[in-house]
Amino acid sequence: MSEEVDISKALKAAIATGKVEFGVDQTEKAVKAGKAQMIVLADNCPSEFLVSNNKVKVHVYGGNNMELGALCGKPFSVSALAVIDKGTSNILTL
């Protein structure tokens, strides 16, 4: 039994039970305001600020923005998201 966190399960739990902001602009605002506990970026995230940030934990998802959007259950692409409150998820252990 591996201890590896399942990113899709962890994300779905965070979205369902916690608070997650979607989109580059919202994610940048959350990081600048110090509200983001961690951020998840698609591998094609266009934001240099988020990619090079050292304020919060970053998880680079191994897929593009369309795949990350689908994983989040959204009908649109998601280049970046900020976990404000992890809820019952174990996403912060990624």
Side-chain angles (χ1 to χ4, degrees), residues 45-94:
C45 178
S47 169
E48 195 52 49
F49 170 78
L50 293 174
V51 172
S52 62
N53 109 84
N54 55 9
K55 289 188 174 81
V56 295
K57 188 171 178 174
V58 178
H59 177 79
V60 178
Y61 172 69
N64 66 26
N65 54 354
M66 296 300 288
E67 293 164 330
L68 186 55
L71 184 72
C72 295
K74 298 294 176 194
F76 48 83
S77 64
V78 174
S79 293
L81 60 91
V83 177
I84 310 296
D85 174 7
K86 69 179 180 64
T88 61
S89 80
N90 59 350
I91 194 156
L92 298 180
T93 61
L94 283 175

